[in-house]
Amino acid sequence: ANGTAFSVTWLTDQADGSGLVAIRAADSRAGLWTWERDGKFRHDVGEGDAPVIAGTLGRDLAVVTYRGGNVRIRSGDRWHSPSASEASFLDARAAFVDRLGDLWIAGSSGLALFRTSSRLWTAHVQGFPSPLDRVHSLLSLPDGSMWAGTVDGLAIYNADGSMRGAMWTSNNGR
């Protein structure tokens, strides 16, 4: 409305009508904004300065993954970075929110799964060193399984987070 350009860099909504949006702007509109199903907006000043690649939103909780690998969590009114006990990654390269609202984050140290309902992190690591732990992309299939594109092929996970297998790896030649 004031003539200053801005752009929406990322957006998600939930089934209950709430949502989260990242805005880049040279003015006070920049940052992350949350809206509730009753139409109330909340501006999280100081968050959202880098491009967001994925995130999830729950009751009194938000998790956002920024391009460049930074992960931030909002519990109540406070944002923080995950502690070592919450997650075993620091360099997110891809992220995806599945149909249950759980956040899968891929990086050079494996795959991490954040379960929104329990607010618990699970690390999926093949062991050091494993090329299957260097995950660059994620694909969710209709059955709820997650395919992780790695430097050594595909790692395939069931909807519950357990590993189903791997394809096209140097170990199996397919």
Side-chain angles (χ1 to χ4, degrees), residues 75-153:
S75 293
D77 291 333
R78 189 177 145 271
W79 284 92
H80 66 279
S81 296
S83 66
S85 63
E86 289 176 308
S88 63
F89 57 89
L90 294 175
D91 64 339
R93 296 181 181 187
F96 185 84
V97 178
D98 67 19
R99 64 182 181 203
L100 299 175
D102 295 335
L103 179 66
W104 297 73
I105 300 176
S108 64
S109 58
L111 189 65
L113 173 59
F114 178 76
R115 299 243 184 238
T116 306
S117 60
S118 64
R119 298 185 182 195
L120 293 177
W121 290 96
T122 304
H124 297 282
V125 181
Q126 304 304 312
F128 182 77
S130 173
L132 289 175
D133 285 337
R134 294 178 57 197
V135 182
H136 295 286
S137 58
L138 296 171
L139 173 68
S140 178
L141 297 180
D143 68 358
S145 64
M146 185 66 64
W147 288 29
T150 76
V151 298
D152 194 35

Side-chain angles (χ1 to χ4, degrees), residues 1-167:
N2 66 9
T4 305
F6 74 95
S7 64
V8 172
T9 60
W10 177 81
L11 173 68
T12 188
D13 66 342
Q14 305 299 311
D16 70 359
S18 62
L20 187 64
V21 61
I23 296 177
R24 292 191 51 94
D27 59 24
S28 62
R29 295 175 292 178
L32 290 178
W33 290 78
T34 306
W35 69 88
E36 303 301 327
R37 65 180 185 199
D38 61 6
K40 292 181 184 174
F41 281 84
R42 166 192 178 143
H43 185 199
D44 291 315
V45 179
E47 288 294 327
D49 294 336
V52 174
I53 59 172
T56 190
L57 181 66
R59 184 179 174 96
D60 298 322
L61 175 78
V63 180
V64 175
T65 305
Y66 292 100
R67 184 161 301 155
N70 193 19
V71 176
R72 299 283 288 162
I73 301 168
R74 186 190 74 211
S75 293
D77 291 333
R78 189 177 145 271
W79 284 92
H80 66 279
S81 296
S83 66
S85 63
E86 289 176 308
S88 63
F89 57 89
L90 294 175
D91 64 339
R93 296 181 181 187
F96 185 84
V97 178
D98 67 19
R99 64 182 181 203
L100 299 175
D102 295 335
L103 179 66
W104 297 73
I105 300 176
S108 64
S109 58
L111 189 65
L113 173 59
F114 178 76
R115 299 243 184 238
T116 306
S117 60
S118 64
R119 298 185 182 195
L120 293 177
W121 290 96
T122 304
H124 297 282
V125 181
Q126 304 304 312
F128 182 77
S130 173
L132 289 175
D133 285 337
R134 294 178 57 197
V135 182
H136 295 286
S137 58
L138 296 171
L139 173 68
S140 178
L141 297 180
D143 68 358
S145 64
M146 185 66 64
W147 288 29
T150 76
V151 298
D152 194 35
L154 288 174
I156 303 168
Y157 295 87
N158 295 313
D160 67 2
S162 62
M163 187 165 186
R164 181 184 306 170
M167 297 173 52

